[in-house]
Amino acid sequence: MADFIGAVDQGTTSTRFMIFDHGGNEVAKHQLEHEQILPRSGWVEHDPVEIWERTNSVMQNALRNGGLSGTDLAAIGITNQRETTVVWDPRTGRPYYNAIVWQDTRTDAIAAHLERSGRGDVIRRKAGLPPATYFSGGKIQWILENVDGVREAAEQGHAVFGNTDCWVLWNLTGGPDGGIHATDVTNASRTMLMDLETLDWDDELLGFFGIPRSMLPTINPSSHREAYGTTRTSRPLRAAVPITGVLGDQHAATVGQVCFSPGEAKNTYGTGNFLVLNTGTELVRSQHGLLTTVAYQLGDSPPVYALEGSIAVTGSAVQWLRDQMKIIKTAAESEELARTVEDNGGMYFVPAFSGLFAPYWRSDARGAIVGLARYNDNAHLARATLEAICYQSRDVVEAMEQDSSVHLDVLRVDGGVTANDLCMQIQADVLGVPVSRPVVAETTALGAAYAAGLATGFWRDTDELRTHWSESRRWEPQWSEEKRAEGYAGWKMAVERTLDWVKVPES
Ligand SMILES: Nc1ncnc2c1ncn2[C@@H]1O[C@H](COP(=O)(O)OP(=O)(O)OP(=O)(O)O)[C@@H](O)[C@H]1O
Ligand SMILES: [Mg+2]
């Protein structure tokens, strides 16, 4: 009997395969990191071949850990780091270039040119996004313009684009031997190439980037019985398992947190932070620096939209303390170290490594540590790093409340950083609202499994999924209003200091 649903979570730092039962409980998992390739300042790449190999390994190892085989899986879902861009030759499966990761800022001149030429407003209106280095469109353009032979190959149908969902799907379904070249509406909504209303690639937007339509995958609902095919028996599961759910990681986490009603929101703390607010079938256009995006689309139902506050650097600032500053040995030590001091000692750290994303969208910003006195030490830096995660989240919560008139009475959280008890306490203090974490913290993989299982009838409907959610931990605010206001005012001043730091080249 196929009693389980599997989910591939192809993330920025690692790839996981997780297996869930009918109750949404984790049965088995395996996870492997891949290399972060940093060829120069501002550039971030991954090797797509390594990602595919890691995907194979984690699928096989998770099955082995659970004592299961591919035939025990009723269906699988795929979720992924969004925007990260792979261009490959469908005849061979060979990538033309490394994957250009969402954090990569090499396309700053492309983004600035879009704004200067007045195309920014068209992109905002049609795609719901501000022109920024973050999204896939500029990254595809960069590959077409900078990698020898790709433009010609694309014109002949020998170069195709996908985010990593699409790359993994194509490989799982046969690769050069009939692999399916498709994606879902949520991933497509992060390219600057899809019209949010028609849910199709838009010729005017494609024209801005000089991208031939033939490079692009078919866009499907996030949960669908047939659209994504089945795994080839020659591939890692060694079974023909239907792939029935595909959605970007933050959209999957929204589903995994069962934010199915308008006004429900979640905040995921991973490499970056992503606050997503369900706005229902209504398209809300942000006036305060948030993105409009497709939350998910289940089968033939209309798409559900969301407002999103994306923050580029949160958990990765903790990794930076570990790997570059070398003041901690593990991410968890950030908590121990920060606990040795009462407060930030006047110090603020704005980790604007990729410029600032929401709600500022300033690619000219770079990181800064300000307010230093002779008194400050490593522990203050650790504390300031955790506070930066929380203050950045407050920035997007404020923008969300202004855009939507939804007032949060509790913030639902998940992701790796939520293991940090101090950080979550600071989050409650900085926001002045309680913070709540569910039992299953791996909401990204869970959401992909939910999308897959809904398509096949493994789960009946979203109401059934709601019954799976339960709270494991809650943090209540403890700061006075005065302390909260003072702390936030200091943060705003620190952000000011990071702006207008680098000159964006003219293209
Ligand atoms: N105890 C901790 N305190 C602070 N940060 C932590 C802690 N444990 C993990 N992290 C941070 O959490 C992040 C990993 O979280 P998670 O596994 O949810 O990431 P992710 O965003 O899903 O990864 P990916 O981007 O690969 O999908 C890392 O950046 C790490 O620094
Ligand atoms: Mg993730």
Side-chain angles (χ1 to χ4, degrees):
M1 263 293 280
D3 277 337
F4 305 99
I5 301 278
V8 178
D9 174 1
Q10 199 307 291
T12 308
T13 52
S14 71
T15 307
R16 303 165 170 87
F17 189 65
M18 299 194 57
I19 300 169
F20 297 95
D21 67 13
H22 265 283
N25 307 301
E26 176 184 326
V27 174
K29 80 166 168 188
H30 192 71
Q31 175 174 0
L32 288 172
E33 296 203 355
H34 54 264
E35 190 188 349
Q36 303 297 312
I37 303 165
L38 310 169
R40 58 175 98 164
S41 179
W43 291 31
V44 187
E45 300 177 0
H46 295 156
D47 175 358
V49 174
E50 183 190 14
I51 284 180
W52 168 236
E53 287 167 3
R54 294 286 184 264
T55 307
N56 276 268
S57 304
V58 296
M59 291 178 101
Q60 287 169 344
N61 292 338
L63 285 174
R64 191 171 316 125
N65 292 346
L68 300 170
S69 67
T71 52
D72 291 311
L73 302 176
I76 65 169
I78 301 172
T79 181
N80 59 300
Q81 52 169 322
R82 306 167 300 170
E83 301 98 10
T84 297
T85 296
V86 189
V87 175
W88 73 94
D89 184 341
R91 297 168 300 179
T92 60
R94 199 180 56 81
Y96 284 101
Y97 191 75
N98 275 338
I100 302 183
V101 178
W102 57 274
Q103 301 138 321
D104 189 294
T105 58
R106 79 184 68 188
T107 56
D108 53 359
I110 292 176
H113 178 72
L114 288 167
E115 203 64 276
R116 270 198 306 273
S117 61
R119 292 168 166 181
D121 285 337
V122 181
I123 299 175
R124 267 182 280 268
R125 179 165 48 77
K126 287 189 167 174
L129 309 171
T133 58
Y134 183 19
F135 308 108
S136 310
K139 300 182 198 290
I140 304 171
Q141 180 181 343
W142 190 92
I143 292 175
L144 286 169
E145 288 174 355
N146 291 281
V147 182
D148 270 356
V150 179
R151 162 116 13 229
E152 298 69 37
E155 274 153 14
Q156 291 157 9
H158 298 152
V160 294
F161 152 78
N163 296 124
T164 62
D165 62 313
C166 184
W167 169 245
V168 167
L169 174 76
W170 184 81
N171 276 294
L172 282 172
T173 53
D177 178 19
I180 289 177
H181 186 220
T183 190
D184 91 305
V185 281
T186 69
N187 275 293
S189 80
R190 318 293 298 189
T191 55
M192 299 197 277
L193 306 174
M194 187 185 83
D195 183 322
L196 281 176
E197 286 177 32
T198 63
L199 303 181
D200 194 6
W201 306 118
D202 180 89
D203 286 325
E204 183 181 16
L205 296 176
L206 293 178
F208 289 174
F209 298 92
I211 298 172
R213 191 181 258 265
S214 56
M215 284 183 82
L216 303 177
T218 310
I219 305 174
N220 297 316
S222 319
S223 170
H224 197 278
R225 233 175 189 305
E226 292 101 31
Y228 298 106
T230 54
T231 59
R232 285 292 175 89
T233 50
S234 58
R235 305 272 154 169
L237 293 178
R238 309 251 169 261
V241 181
I243 302 166
T244 52
V246 173
L247 69 182
D249 53 8
Q250 301 310 322
H251 313 261
T254 305
V255 171
Q257 285 269 30
V258 297
C259 295
F260 294 123
S261 300
E264 291 182 327
K266 66 87 200 174
N267 199 16
T268 300
Y269 298 66
T271 304
N273 262 34
F274 302 88
L275 181 87
V276 177
L277 170 75
N278 182 323
T279 61
T281 48
E282 188 195 351
L283 243 172
V284 179
R285 297 190 183 276
S286 177
Q287 306 298 321
H288 298 93
L290 302 180
L291 310 177
T292 307
T293 196
V294 181
Y296 53 83
Q297 185 188 19
L298 305 178
D300 300 328
S301 307
V304 171
Y305 294 101
L307 280 170
E308 175 179 315
S310 329
I311 305 166
V313 179
T314 58
S316 55
V318 175
Q319 290 175 332
W320 180 79
L321 294 184
R322 185 193 63 190
D323 302 338
Q324 268 82 18
M325 293 299 102
K326 303 189 195 317
I327 65 167
I328 49 175
K329 290 211 176 55
T330 64
E333 273 181 33
S334 63
E335 177 166 359
E336 264 169 63
L337 184 57
R339 276 196 193 281
T340 63
V341 287
E342 296 257 292
D343 56 29
N344 64 14
M347 179 167 163
Y348 286 86
F349 171 28
V350 186
F353 300 154
S354 304
L356 285 167
F357 283 19
Y360 304 100
W361 300 105
R362 293 288 296 258
S363 56
D364 59 350
R366 282 300 177 272
I369 297 172
V370 299
L372 289 177
R374 179 73 179 81
Y375 163 72
N376 292 116
D377 63 14
N378 283 350
H380 293 122
L381 179 57
R383 170 99 194 185
T385 304
L386 302 183
E387 289 189 359
I389 295 174
C390 303
Y391 281 126
Q392 293 187 96
S393 292
R394 173 152 172 193
D395 285 339
V396 298
V397 166
E398 299 225 331
M400 192 195 81
E401 291 187 340
Q402 285 167 330
D403 267 341
S404 67
S405 71
V406 168
H407 180 73
L408 278 190
D409 42 29
V410 56
L411 182 69
R412 271 191 222 176
V413 302
D414 53 70
V417 182
T418 66
N420 191 310
D421 189 50
L422 176 63
C423 188
M424 292 301 103
Q425 182 57 53
I426 297 171
Q427 184 67 83
D429 289 333
V430 158
L431 281 176
V433 300
V435 168
S436 162
R437 189 181 65 204
V439 172
V440 180
E442 295 274 8
T443 54
T444 303
L446 181 63
Y450 280 169
L454 282 172
T456 64
F458 187 88
W459 288 297
R460 204 175 46 250
D461 54 24
T462 54
D463 285 342
E464 179 182 358
L465 301 180
R466 277 185 190 283
T467 65
H468 298 164
W469 194 97
S470 63
E471 183 175 84
S472 80
R473 184 77 208 265
R474 180 178 280 248
W475 293 267
E476 297 288 343
Q478 291 168 355
W479 286 1
S480 67
E481 281 302 333
E482 195 188 356
K483 183 166 178 186
R484 183 161 26 256
E486 213 175 277
Y488 193 51
W491 167 257
K492 287 293 205 186
M493 278 168 29
V495 168
E496 279 295 316
R497 303 297 193 278
T498 69
L499 304 178
D500 201 13
W501 193 263
V502 290
K503 292 279 162 276
V504 175
E506 302 260 333
S507 73

